Amino acid sequence: QCDLTGWWKNDLGSKMQVFKVENDGTFSGEYHTAVSSAKKPPQPSSLVGSQHLDEDGQCTFGFTVNWKKFSDSTAVFVGQCFDGDDGKEVLHTSWLLREKVDSQTDDWKATR
């Protein structure tokens, strides 16, 4: 069973801490990004998510991070947990980031 509880680090040096996964799969935590295009320095930001609990342990999950402490943006991540070659759990994720824009005509550049 994949246990998301604890610290995770990605290839760019960002870190995430999942505090506890509840019995229904919901969880919360903090994301510490190492990369940002915001003018203010990054700060730890809260995250909330849900994990699909299944029998083979290679669960899918998703979570949202609100960067409100230093940016006008929100990110969503989706992924799956795998057993790595070294026996450690590995998360593979994809993300979308939505930045605030000033007008509807600028909508085209708001999502990465």
Side-chain angles (χ1 to χ4, degrees):
Q1 180 75 19
C2 181
D3 184 5
L4 295 178
T5 303
W7 284 95
W8 298 89
K9 185 172 124 181
N10 72 13
D11 297 342
L12 299 175
S14 296
K15 294 183 279 187
M16 156 176 97
Q17 182 182 19
V18 175
F19 299 138
K20 179 184 176 186
V21 179
E22 302 295 336
N23 290 337
D24 65 356
T26 59
F27 60 89
S28 63
E30 275 191 339
Y31 200 96
H32 302 248
T33 187
V35 295
S36 173
S37 61
K39 294 177 181 162
K40 296 179 183 177
Q43 295 184 36
S45 300
S46 61
L47 66 85
V48 293
S50 181
Q51 174 182 352
H52 179 80
L53 303 171
D54 58 15
E55 293 177 15
D56 71 3
Q58 299 190 64
C59 67
T60 58
F61 59 89
F63 60 91
T64 301
V65 181
N66 186 333
W67 309 109
K68 65 184 172 186
K69 293 181 179 179
F70 65 94
S71 175
D72 289 332
S73 62
T74 302
V76 293
F77 294 76
V78 293
Q80 185 172 347
C81 182
F82 295 96
D83 291 326
D85 295 334
D86 58 1
K88 293 182 180 179
E89 294 168 334
V90 176
L91 306 182
H92 285 258
T93 61
S94 297
W95 56 269
L96 287 171
L97 177 97
R98 177 65 187 217
E99 292 181 301
K100 179 181 165 187
V101 291
D102 295 328
S103 69
Q104 195 171 10
T105 55
D106 288 335
D107 186 62
W108 65 272
K109 64 180 181 179
T111 302
R112 290 190 277 196

